[in-house]
Coordinates of all heavy atoms in Angstrom, one line a residue:
I273 N 0.8 -1.2 0.0 CA 0.0 0.0 0.0 C 0.9 1.3 0.0 O 0.6 2.2 -0.7 CB -1.0 0.0 1.2 CG1 -2.0 -1.1 1.0 CG2 -1.7 1.3 1.3 CD1 -2.9 -1.3 2.1
R274 N 2.0 1.2 0.8 CA 2.8 2.4 0.8 C 3.4 2.7 -0.6 O 3.5 3.9 -0.9 CB 4.0 2.2 1.8 CG 3.6 2.2 3.2 CD 4.9 2.1 4.1 NE 4.4 1.9 5.4 CZ 5.0 1.1 6.3 NH1 6.1 0.4 5.9 NH2 4.6 1.0 7.5
Y275 N 3.7 1.7 -1.3 CA 4.3 1.9 -2.7 C 3.3 2.7 -3.5 O 3.7 3.6 -4.2 CB 4.6 0.5 -3.3 CG 4.9 0.6 -4.8 CD1 6.0 1.2 -5.3 CD2 3.9 0.1 -5.7 CE1 6.3 1.2 -6.6 CE2 4.2 0.2 -7.0 CZ 5.3 0.7 -7.5 OH 5.6 0.8 -8.8
Y276 N 2.0 2.3 -3.5 CA 1.1 3.0 -4.3 C 0.8 4.4 -3.8 O 0.5 5.3 -4.6 CB -0.2 2.1 -4.4 CG 0.0 0.8 -5.1 CD1 0.1 -0.4 -4.4 CD2 0.3 0.8 -6.5 CE1 0.3 -1.6 -5.0 CE2 0.6 -0.4 -7.1 CZ 0.6 -1.6 -6.4 OH 0.9 -2.8 -7.0
S277 N 0.9 4.6 -2.5 CA 0.7 5.9 -1.9 C 1.8 6.8 -2.4 O 1.6 8.0 -2.8 CB 0.7 5.8 -0.4 OG -0.4 5.1 0.0
V278 N 3.0 6.3 -2.4 CA 4.2 7.1 -2.9 C 4.0 7.4 -4.4 O 4.3 8.5 -4.8 CB 5.5 6.4 -2.6 CG1 6.7 7.1 -3.2 CG2 5.7 6.3 -1.1
Q279 N 3.6 6.4 -5.1 CA 3.4 6.7 -6.6 C 2.4 7.8 -6.8 O 2.6 8.7 -7.6 CB 2.9 5.4 -7.3 CG 4.0 4.5 -7.7 CD 3.4 3.4 -8.6 OE1 2.3 2.9 -8.4 NE2 4.1 3.1 -9.6
Y280 N 1.3 7.7 -6.0 CA 0.2 8.7 -6.1 C 0.8 10.1 -5.8 O 0.6 11.1 -6.5 CB -0.9 8.4 -5.2 CG -2.0 9.5 -5.2 CD1 -2.9 9.5 -6.2 CD2 -2.0 10.4 -4.1 CE1 -3.9 10.5 -6.2 CE2 -3.0 11.3 -4.1 CZ -3.9 11.4 -5.1 OH -4.9 12.4 -5.1
M281 N 1.6 10.2 -4.7 CA 2.1 11.5 -4.3 C 3.1 12.0 -5.3 O 3.1 13.2 -5.6 CB 2.8 11.3 -2.9 CG 1.8 11.2 -1.8 SD 2.6 11.2 -0.1 CE 3.6 9.6 -0.2
M282 N 3.9 11.1 -5.9 CA 4.8 11.6 -6.9 C 4.1 12.3 -8.1 O 4.6 13.2 -8.7 CB 5.7 10.4 -7.4 CG 6.8 10.1 -6.4 SD 7.8 8.7 -6.9 CE 8.6 9.4 -8.4
K283 N 3.0 11.7 -8.4 CA 2.2 12.3 -9.6 C 1.6 13.7 -9.2 O 1.4 14.5 -10.1 CB 1.1 11.3 -10.0 CG 1.6 10.1 -10.6 CD 0.5 9.2 -11.0 CE 1.1 7.9 -11.6 NZ 0.0 6.9 -11.8
R284 N 1.4 13.9 -7.9 CA 0.7 15.1 -7.5 C 1.7 16.2 -7.1 O 1.3 17.4 -7.0 CB -0.2 14.8 -6.3 CG -1.3 13.8 -6.6 CD -2.3 14.5 -7.4 NE -3.4 13.5 -7.7 CZ -4.0 13.4 -8.8 NH1 -3.7 14.2 -9.8 NH2 -5.0 12.5 -9.0
V285 N 2.9 15.9 -6.9 CA 3.9 16.9 -6.4 C 4.7 17.4 -7.6 O 5.1 16.7 -8.4 CB 4.8 16.3 -5.4 CG1 5.9 17.3 -4.9 CG2 4.0 15.8 -4.2
D286 N 4.9 18.7 -7.7 CA 5.6 19.3 -8.8 C 7.1 19.4 -8.4 O 7.6 20.5 -8.2 CB 5.0 20.7 -9.1 CG 5.6 21.3 -10.3 OD1 6.0 20.6 -11.2 OD2 5.6 22.6 -10.4
L287 N 7.7 18.3 -8.4 CA 9.1 18.2 -8.1 C 9.8 17.1 -9.0 O 9.1 16.1 -9.3 CB 9.4 17.7 -6.6 CG 9.2 18.6 -5.5 CD1 9.4 17.9 -4.2 CD2 10.2 19.8 -5.5
P288 N 11.0 17.3 -9.4 CA 11.7 16.2 -10.1 C 11.7 15.0 -9.2 O 11.8 15.1 -8.0 CB 13.1 16.8 -10.3 CG 13.0 18.3 -10.2 CD 11.9 18.5 -9.2
E289 N 11.7 13.8 -9.9 CA 11.7 12.6 -9.1 C 12.8 12.4 -8.1 O 12.6 12.0 -7.0 CB 11.7 11.4 -10.1 CG 11.6 10.1 -9.5 CD 11.5 8.9 -10.5 OE1 11.2 9.2 -11.7 OE2 11.8 7.8 -10.1
E290 N 14.0 12.8 -8.5 CA 15.1 12.7 -7.6 C 14.9 13.5 -6.3 O 15.2 13.1 -5.2 CB 16.5 13.1 -8.3 CG 16.9 12.3 -9.4 CD 16.1 12.7 -10.7 OE1 15.6 13.8 -10.8 OE2 16.0 11.8 -11.6
D291 N 14.4 14.8 -6.5 CA 14.2 15.6 -5.3 C 13.1 15.1 -4.4 O 13.2 15.1 -3.2 CB 13.8 17.0 -5.8 CG 14.9 17.8 -6.5 OD1 16.1 17.3 -6.4 OD2 14.6 18.8 -7.2
F292 N 12.0 14.5 -5.1 CA 10.9 13.9 -4.3 C 11.5 12.7 -3.5 O 11.1 12.6 -2.3 CB 9.8 13.4 -5.2 CG 8.7 12.8 -4.5 CD1 7.7 13.5 -3.9 CD2 8.7 11.4 -4.3 CE1 6.7 12.9 -3.2 CE2 7.7 10.8 -3.6 CZ 6.7 11.5 -3.0
I293 N 12.3 11.9 -4.1 CA 12.8 10.7 -3.4 C 13.7 11.2 -2.2 O 13.6 10.6 -1.1 CB 13.6 9.8 -4.3 CG1 12.6 9.2 -5.3 CG2 14.4 8.7 -3.6 CD1 13.2 8.4 -6.5
E294 N 14.5 12.1 -2.5 CA 15.4 12.7 -1.4 C 14.6 13.2 -0.2 O 14.8 12.9 0.9 CB 16.3 13.8 -1.9 CG 17.3 14.3 -0.9 CD 18.2 15.3 -1.5 OE1 18.6 15.2 -2.7 OE2 18.6 16.3 -0.8
L295 N 13.5 13.9 -0.5 CA 12.7 14.5 0.5 C 11.9 13.4 1.2 O 11.8 13.4 2.5 CB 11.6 15.5 -0.2 CG 10.7 16.2 0.8 CD1 11.4 17.1 1.7 CD2 9.7 17.0 0.0
A296 N 11.4 12.4 0.5 CA 10.7 11.3 1.1 C 11.6 10.5 2.1 O 11.1 10.1 3.1 CB 10.1 10.4 0.0
L297 N 12.8 10.3 1.7 CA 13.7 9.5 2.5 C 14.0 10.2 3.8 O 14.4 9.5 4.8 CB 15.0 9.2 1.7 CG 14.9 8.2 0.6 CD1 16.2 8.1 -0.2 CD2 14.5 6.8 1.1
K298 N 13.9 11.5 3.9 CA 14.1 12.2 5.2 C 13.0 11.8 6.2 O 13.2 11.9 7.4 CB 14.0 13.7 5.0 CG 15.2 14.2 4.3 CD 15.1 15.7 4.1 CE 16.3 16.3 3.4 NZ 16.3 17.7 3.2
Y299 N 11.8 11.4 5.7 CA 10.7 11.1 6.6 C 10.3 9.7 6.7 O 9.5 9.3 7.5 CB 9.4 11.9 6.1 CG 9.7 13.4 6.1 CD1 10.0 14.1 5.0 CD2 9.5 14.1 7.3 CE1 10.2 15.5 5.1 CE2 9.8 15.4 7.4 CZ 10.1 16.1 6.3 OH 10.3 17.5 6.3
L300 N 11.0 8.8 5.9 CA 10.7 7.4 6.0 C 11.9 6.6 6.5 O 13.0 7.0 6.2 CB 10.3 6.9 4.6 CG 9.1 7.4 3.9 CD1 9.0 7.0 2.5 CD2 7.9 7.0 4.6
D301 N 11.6 5.5 7.2 CA 12.7 4.7 7.6 C 13.2 4.0 6.3 O 12.4 3.6 5.5 CB 12.2 3.6 8.6 CG 11.9 4.2 9.9 OD1 12.5 5.3 10.3 OD2 11.0 3.7 10.6
E302 N 14.5 3.7 6.3 CA 15.1 3.1 5.1 C 14.5 1.8 4.8 O 14.3 1.4 3.6 CB 16.6 3.0 5.2 CG 17.3 2.6 4.0 CD 18.8 2.7 4.1 OE1 19.3 3.7 4.7 OE2 19.5 1.8 3.6
E303 N 14.2 1.0 5.8 CA 13.6 -0.3 5.6 C 12.2 -0.3 5.1 O 11.6 -1.3 4.6 CB 13.7 -1.2 6.9 CG 13.1 -0.5 8.1 CD 13.9 -0.6 9.3 OE1 15.2 -0.8 9.2 OE2 13.4 -0.4 10.4
D304 N 11.5 0.9 5.2 CA 10.2 1.0 4.7 C 10.1 1.4 3.2 O 9.1 1.3 2.6 CB 9.4 2.2 5.4 CG 9.0 1.8 6.8 OD1 9.0 0.6 7.1 OD2 8.8 2.7 7.6
V305 N 11.3 1.6 2.6 CA 11.4 2.1 1.2 C 11.8 0.9 0.4 O 12.8 0.2 0.6 CB 12.4 3.2 1.1 CG1 12.5 3.7 -0.4 CG2 12.0 4.4 2.0
M306 N 11.0 0.6 -0.6 CA 11.3 -0.5 -1.5 C 12.2 0.0 -2.7 O 12.0 1.1 -3.2 CB 10.1 -1.1 -2.2 CG 9.3 -2.0 -1.4 SD 8.0 -2.9 -2.4 CE 6.7 -1.7 -2.3
T307 N 13.2 -0.8 -3.0 CA 14.0 -0.5 -4.2 C 13.1 -0.8 -5.5 O 12.1 -1.5 -5.4 CB 15.3 -1.4 -4.3 OG1 14.9 -2.8 -4.4 CG2 16.1 -1.2 -3.0
V308 N 13.6 -0.3 -6.6 CA 12.9 -0.6 -7.8 C 12.8 -2.1 -8.1 O 11.8 -2.6 -8.5 CB 13.6 0.1 -9.0 CG1 13.0 -0.3 -10.3 CG2 13.5 1.6 -8.8
E309 N 13.9 -2.8 -7.8 CA 13.9 -4.2 -8.0 C 12.9 -4.9 -7.1 O 12.2 -5.8 -7.6 CB 15.3 -4.8 -7.6 CG 15.5 -6.3 -7.9 CD 16.9 -6.8 -7.5 OE1 17.7 -6.0 -7.2 OE2 17.1 -8.0 -7.6
E310 N 12.8 -4.5 -5.9 CA 11.7 -5.0 -5.0 C 10.3 -4.7 -5.5 O 9.4 -5.6 -5.4 CB 11.9 -4.5 -3.6 CG 13.1 -5.0 -2.8 CD 13.4 -4.2 -1.5 OE1 13.0 -3.0 -1.4 OE2 14.0 -4.9 -0.6
Q311 N 10.1 -3.6 -6.0 CA 8.8 -3.2 -6.6 C 8.5 -4.1 -7.7 O 7.3 -4.5 -7.9 CB 8.8 -1.7 -7.0 CG 8.9 -0.8 -5.9 CD 9.2 0.7 -6.4 OE1 8.9 1.0 -7.5 NE2 9.7 1.5 -5.5
I312 N 9.4 -4.4 -8.6 CA 9.2 -5.2 -9.8 C 8.8 -6.6 -9.3 O 8.1 -7.3 -10.0 CB 10.4 -5.2 -10.7 CG1 10.5 -3.8 -11.4 CG2 10.3 -6.2 -11.8 CD1 11.7 -3.6 -12.2
E313 N 9.4 -7.1 -8.2 CA 9.1 -8.4 -7.7 C 7.7 -8.5 -7.2 O 7.2 -9.7 -6.9 CB 10.1 -8.8 -6.6 CG 11.5 -9.0 -7.2 CD 11.7 -10.0 -8.2 OE1 11.0 -11.1 -8.1 OE2 12.4 -9.8 -9.2
Q314 N 7.0 -7.4 -6.9 CA 5.6 -7.5 -6.4 C 4.8 -8.3 -7.4 O 5.0 -8.2 -8.6 CB 5.0 -6.1 -6.2 CG 5.7 -5.3 -5.1 CD 5.5 -5.9 -3.8 OE1 4.4 -6.2 -3.4 NE2 6.6 -6.2 -3.1
P315 N 3.8 -9.1 -6.9 CA 3.0 -9.9 -7.8 C 2.3 -9.0 -8.9 O 1.8 -7.9 -8.6 CB 1.9 -10.4 -6.9 CG 2.5 -10.4 -5.5 CD 3.4 -9.2 -5.5
G316 N 2.4 -9.4 -10.1 CA 1.8 -8.7 -11.2 C 2.6 -7.6 -11.8 O 2.4 -7.2 -12.9
I317 N 3.5 -7.0 -11.0 CA 4.3 -5.8 -11.5 C 5.2 -6.3 -12.6 O 5.3 -5.6 -13.7 CB 5.1 -5.2 -10.4 CG1 4.2 -4.7 -9.3 CG2 6.0 -4.1 -10.9 CD1 3.3 -3.5 -9.6
R318 N 5.9 -7.4 -12.4 CA 6.9 -7.8 -13.5 C 6.1 -8.1 -14.8 O 6.6 -7.6 -15.8 CB 7.6 -9.1 -13.0 CG 8.6 -9.7 -14.1 CD 9.1 -11.0 -13.6 NE 9.8 -10.9 -12.4 CZ 11.1 -10.7 -12.2 NH1 11.9 -10.7 -13.3 NH2 11.7 -10.6 -11.0
Q319 N 5.0 -8.7 -14.7 CA 4.2 -9.0 -15.9 C 3.7 -7.7 -16.6 O 3.8 -7.5 -17.8 CB 3.0 -9.9 -15.6 CG 2.2 -10.2 -16.9 CD 3.0 -11.0 -17.9 OE1 3.9 -11.7 -17.6 NE2 2.6 -10.8 -19.1
G320 N 3.3 -6.7 -15.7 CA 2.9 -5.4 -16.2 C 4.0 -4.7 -16.9 O 3.8 -4.0 -17.9
V321 N 5.2 -4.8 -16.3 CA 6.3 -4.1 -16.9 C 6.6 -4.7 -18.3 O 6.8 -3.9 -19.3 CB 7.6 -4.2 -16.0 CG1 8.9 -3.7 -16.7 CG2 7.4 -3.4 -14.8
K322 N 6.6 -6.0 -18.4 CA 6.9 -6.7 -19.7 C 5.8 -6.3 -20.7 O 6.1 -6.0 -21.9 CB 6.9 -8.2 -19.5 CG 8.1 -8.7 -18.9 CD 8.1 -10.2 -18.7 CE 9.3 -10.7 -18.0 NZ 9.3 -12.2 -17.9
Q323 N 4.5 -6.3 -20.3 CA 3.4 -6.0 -21.2 C 3.5 -4.5 -21.6 O 3.3 -4.2 -22.8 CB 2.1 -6.2 -20.5 CG 0.9 -6.0 -21.4 CD 0.8 -7.0 -22.5 OE1 1.3 -8.1 -22.4 NE2 0.2 -6.6 -23.6
G324 N 3.9 -3.6 -20.7 CA 4.0 -2.2 -21.1 C 5.1 -2.0 -22.1 O 5.0 -1.2 -23.0
A325 N 6.3 -2.7 -21.9 CA 7.4 -2.6 -22.9 C 7.0 -3.1 -24.2 O 7.3 -2.5 -25.3 CB 8.6 -3.4 -22.3
K326 N 6.2 -4.2 -24.3 CA 5.7 -4.8 -25.5 C 4.8 -3.8 -26.2 O 4.9 -3.5 -27.4 CB 5.0 -6.1 -25.2 CG 4.4 -6.8 -26.4 CD 3.8 -8.1 -26.0 CE 2.9 -8.7 -27.0 NZ 2.2 -9.9 -26.5
Q327 N 3.9 -3.2 -25.5 CA 2.9 -2.2 -26.1 C 3.7 -1.0 -26.6 O 3.3 -0.4 -27.6 CB 1.9 -1.9 -25.1 CG 0.9 -3.0 -24.7 CD 0.2 -3.6 -25.9 OE1 -0.2 -2.8 -26.8 NE2 0.1 -4.9 -26.0
E328 N 4.7 -0.6 -25.9 CA 5.5 0.6 -26.3 C 6.2 0.3 -27.6 O 6.3 1.1 -28.5 CB 6.6 0.9 -25.2 CG 7.4 2.1 -25.6 CD 6.6 3.4 -25.6 OE1 5.5 3.5 -25.0 OE2 7.1 4.4 -26.2
K329 N 6.8 -1.0 -27.7 CA 7.4 -1.3 -29.0 C 6.4 -1.3 -30.2 O 6.7 -0.9 -31.3 CB 8.0 -2.7 -28.9 CG 9.3 -2.8 -28.1 CD 9.8 -4.2 -28.2 CE 11.1 -4.3 -27.4 NZ 11.7 -5.6 -27.5
Y330 N 5.2 -1.8 -29.9 CA 4.1 -1.8 -30.9 C 3.8 -0.3 -31.3 O 3.6 -0.1 -32.5 CB 2.9 -2.5 -30.4 CG 2.9 -4.0 -30.3 CD1 4.1 -4.7 -30.7 CD2 1.8 -4.7 -29.9 CE1 4.1 -6.1 -30.6 CE2 1.9 -6.1 -29.8 CZ 3.0 -6.8 -30.2 OH 3.0 -8.2 -30.1
A331 N 3.7 0.5 -30.3 CA 3.3 1.9 -30.6 C 4.4 2.6 -31.5 O 4.1 3.3 -32.4 CB 3.1 2.7 -29.3
I332 N 5.7 2.3 -31.1 CA 6.8 2.9 -31.9 C 6.8 2.3 -33.3 O 6.9 3.1 -34.3 CB 8.1 2.5 -31.2 CG1 8.3 3.3 -29.9 CG2 9.3 2.8 -32.1 CD1 9.4 2.9 -29.0
A333 N 6.5 1.0 -33.4 CA 6.5 0.4 -34.8 C 5.3 1.0 -35.6 O 5.5 1.3 -36.8 CB 6.3 -1.1 -34.7
R334 N 4.2 1.2 -35.0 CA 3.0 1.8 -35.7 C 3.4 3.3 -36.2 O 3.0 3.6 -37.3 CB 1.8 1.9 -34.8 CG 1.1 0.5 -34.6 CD -0.2 0.6 -33.8 NE -0.7 -0.7 -33.6 CZ -0.7 -1.3 -32.4 NH1 -0.1 -0.8 -31.4 NH2 -1.2 -2.5 -32.3
N335 N 4.0 4.0 -35.3 CA 4.4 5.4 -35.7 C 5.4 5.3 -36.9 O 5.4 6.1 -37.8 CB 5.0 6.1 -34.5 CG 4.0 6.5 -33.5 OD1 2.8 6.7 -33.9 ND2 4.4 6.7 -32.3
M336 N 6.3 4.4 -36.8 CA 7.3 4.2 -37.9 C 6.6 3.8 -39.2 O 7.0 4.3 -40.3 CB 8.4 3.2 -37.5 CG 9.3 3.7 -36.4 SD 10.4 2.5 -35.8 CE 11.7 2.6 -37.0
L337 N 5.6 3.0 -39.1 CA 4.9 2.6 -40.3 C 4.1 3.8 -40.9 O 4.1 3.9 -42.1 CB 3.9 1.4 -39.9 CG 4.4 0.1 -39.7 CD1 3.4 -0.9 -39.0 CD2 4.9 -0.5 -41.0
K338 N 3.6 4.6 -40.0 CA 2.9 5.8 -40.5 C 3.8 6.7 -41.2 O 3.4 7.4 -42.2 CB 2.3 6.6 -39.3 CG 1.0 5.9 -38.7 CD 0.5 6.7 -37.5 CE -0.6 6.0 -36.8 NZ -1.0 6.6 -35.6
K339 N 5.1 6.7 -40.9 CA 6.1 7.5 -41.5 C 6.6 6.9 -42.8 O 7.5 7.4 -43.5 CB 7.3 7.8 -40.6 CG 7.0 8.5 -39.3 CD 6.8 10.0 -39.6 CE 6.5 10.7 -38.3 NZ 6.2 12.1 -38.5
G340 N 6.1 5.7 -43.1 CA 6.5 5.0 -44.3 C 7.9 4.3 -44.3 O 8.4 4.0 -45.3
M341 N 8.3 4.0 -43.1 CA 9.6 3.3 -43.0 C 9.5 1.9 -43.4 O 8.5 1.2 -43.1 CB 10.2 3.5 -41.5 CG 10.4 5.0 -41.2 SD 11.1 5.1 -39.5 CE 12.8 4.8 -39.9
P342 N 10.6 1.3 -43.9 CA 10.6 -0.1 -44.3 C 10.4 -1.0 -43.1 O 10.9 -0.8 -42.0 CB 11.9 -0.3 -45.0 CG 12.5 1.1 -45.3 CD 11.8 2.0 -44.3
I343 N 9.7 -2.1 -43.4 CA 9.4 -3.1 -42.3 C 10.7 -3.7 -41.7 O 10.8 -3.8 -40.5 CB 8.5 -4.2 -42.9 CG1 7.1 -3.7 -43.2 CG2 8.5 -5.4 -42.0 CD1 6.2 -4.6 -43.8
E344 N 11.7 -3.9 -42.5 CA 12.9 -4.5 -42.0 C 13.6 -3.5 -41.1 O 14.2 -3.9 -40.1 CB 13.9 -4.8 -43.2 CG 13.4 -6.0 -44.1 CD 12.2 -5.6 -45.0 OE1 12.1 -4.4 -45.3 OE2 11.5 -6.5 -45.5
V345 N 13.6 -2.2 -41.4 CA 14.2 -1.2 -40.5 C 13.4 -1.2 -39.2 O 14.0 -1.1 -38.1 CB 14.2 0.2 -41.2 CG1 14.7 1.2 -40.2 CG2 15.1 0.1 -42.4
I346 N 12.1 -1.2 -39.3 CA 11.3 -1.1 -38.1 C 11.6 -2.3 -37.2 O 11.7 -2.2 -36.0 CB 9.8 -1.1 -38.4 CG1 9.5 0.2 -39.2 CG2 8.9 -1.2 -37.2 CD1 8.1 0.2 -39.8
S347 N 11.7 -3.5 -37.8 CA 12.0 -4.7 -37.1 C 13.4 -4.6 -36.4 O 13.5 -4.9 -35.2 CB 12.1 -5.9 -38.0 OG 12.5 -7.1 -37.4
E348 N 14.4 -4.1 -37.1 CA 15.7 -3.9 -36.5 C 15.7 -2.9 -35.4 O 16.3 -3.2 -34.3 CB 16.7 -3.4 -37.6 CG 18.1 -3.3 -37.2 CD 19.0 -2.9 -38.3 OE1 18.7 -3.1 -39.5 OE2 20.0 -2.2 -38.0
V349 N 15.0 -1.8 -35.5 CA 15.0 -0.8 -34.5 C 14.2 -1.2 -33.3 O 14.7 -0.9 -32.1 CB 14.4 0.6 -35.1 CG1 14.2 1.6 -34.0 CG2 15.4 1.1 -36.1
T350 N 13.1 -1.8 -33.4 CA 12.2 -2.1 -32.3 C 12.5 -3.5 -31.7 O 12.2 -3.8 -30.5 CB 10.7 -2.1 -32.7 OG1 10.5 -3.2 -33.7 CG2 10.3 -0.8 -33.2
G351 N 13.2 -4.4 -32.4 CA 13.5 -5.7 -32.0 C 12.3 -6.6 -32.2 O 12.3 -7.8 -31.8
L352 N 11.2 -6.1 -32.9 CA 10.1 -7.0 -33.2 C 10.4 -7.8 -34.4 O 11.1 -7.4 -35.3 CB 8.8 -6.1 -33.4 CG 8.3 -5.3 -32.3 CD1 7.2 -4.4 -32.8 CD2 7.8 -6.2 -31.2
A353 N 9.8 -9.0 -34.4 CA 10.0 -9.9 -35.6 C 9.3 -9.3 -36.8 O 8.3 -8.6 -36.7 CB 9.4 -11.3 -35.3
V354 N 9.9 -9.5 -38.0 CA 9.3 -9.0 -39.2 C 7.8 -9.3 -39.4 O 7.0 -8.5 -39.7 CB 10.1 -9.4 -40.5 CG1 9.4 -9.1 -41.8 CG2 11.5 -8.8 -40.4
N355 N 7.5 -10.6 -39.0 CA 6.1 -11.0 -39.2 C 5.2 -10.2 -38.2 O 4.0 -9.9 -38.6 CB 5.9 -12.5 -39.0 CG 6.2 -13.0 -37.6 OD1 7.0 -12.4 -36.9 ND2 5.6 -14.0 -37.2
L356 N 5.6 -9.8 -37.0 CA 4.8 -9.0 -36.1 C 4.6 -7.6 -36.7 O 3.5 -7.0 -36.6 CB 5.5 -8.9 -34.8 CG 5.3 -10.2 -33.9 CD1 6.1 -10.0 -32.6 CD2 3.9 -10.5 -33.6
V357 N 5.7 -7.0 -37.3 CA 5.6 -5.7 -37.9 C 4.6 -5.8 -39.1 O 3.7 -4.8 -39.2 CB 6.9 -5.2 -38.4 CG1 6.8 -3.8 -39.0 CG2 7.9 -5.1 -37.2
K358 N 4.6 -6.8 -39.8 CA 3.6 -7.0 -40.9 C 2.2 -7.1 -40.4 O 1.3 -6.5 -41.0 CB 4.0 -8.2 -41.8 CG 5.2 -8.1 -42.6 CD 5.5 -9.3 -43.4 CE 6.7 -9.2 -44.3 NZ 7.1 -10.4 -45.0
K359 N 2.0 -7.8 -39.3 CA 0.7 -7.9 -38.7 C 0.2 -6.5 -38.2 O -0.9 -6.1 -38.3 CB 0.7 -8.9 -37.5 CG 0.7 -10.3 -38.0 CD 0.7 -11.3 -36.8 CE 0.7 -12.7 -37.3 NZ 0.6 -13.6 -36.1
L360 N 1.2 -5.7 -37.6 CA 0.8 -4.4 -37.2 C 0.4 -3.5 -38.4 O -0.6 -2.8 -38.3 CB 2.0 -3.7 -36.5 CG 2.3 -4.2 -35.1 CD1 3.7 -3.7 -34.6 CD2 1.2 -3.8 -34.1
K361 N 1.1 -3.7 -39.5 CA 0.8 -2.9 -40.7 C -0.6 -3.2 -41.2 O -1.3 -2.4 -41.7 CB 1.9 -3.1 -41.7 CG 1.7 -2.3 -43.0 CD 2.8 -2.5 -43.9 CE 2.6 -1.5 -45.1 NZ 3.8 -1.6 -46.1
S362 N -0.9 -4.5 -41.2 CA -2.2 -5.0 -41.7 C -3.3 -4.8 -40.7 O -4.5 -5.0 -41.1 CB -2.1 -6.4 -42.1 OG -2.0 -7.3 -41.0
G363 N -3.0 -4.3 -39.5 CA -4.1 -4.1 -38.5 C -4.5 -5.3 -37.8 O -5.5 -5.3 -37.0
Q364 N -3.7 -6.4 -37.9 CA -4.1 -7.7 -37.2 C -3.7 -7.6 -35.7 O -4.1 -8.4 -34.9 CB -3.4 -8.8 -37.9 CG -3.9 -9.1 -39.2 CD -3.2 -10.3 -39.9 OE1 -2.1 -10.7 -39.5 NE2 -3.8 -10.8 -41.0
L365 N -2.8 -6.7 -35.4 CA -2.4 -6.5 -33.9 C -2.7 -5.1 -33.5 O -2.7 -4.2 -34.2 CB -0.9 -6.7 -33.8 CG -0.4 -8.2 -33.7 CD1 1.1 -8.2 -33.6 CD2 -1.1 -9.0 -32.6

């Protein structure tokens, strides 16, 4: 719950992330603060991170397709297989 509370506060405070973390650490015990690695280990977070990265690759590939870039270049840049880029182009994904 603390993790989600901190995430919420970070979105609401007009401070750079590093400054917010420094300020938060002044008021929290070090053992109460999760590292990024610990956060990723939370149930569902790892899968969400992977899914988000995949969706980001798809979005980048779609933008590159809109710009008329060759499928092979898109595949190389995004790391997506050529057949997946072709599916994105045809609207199957």
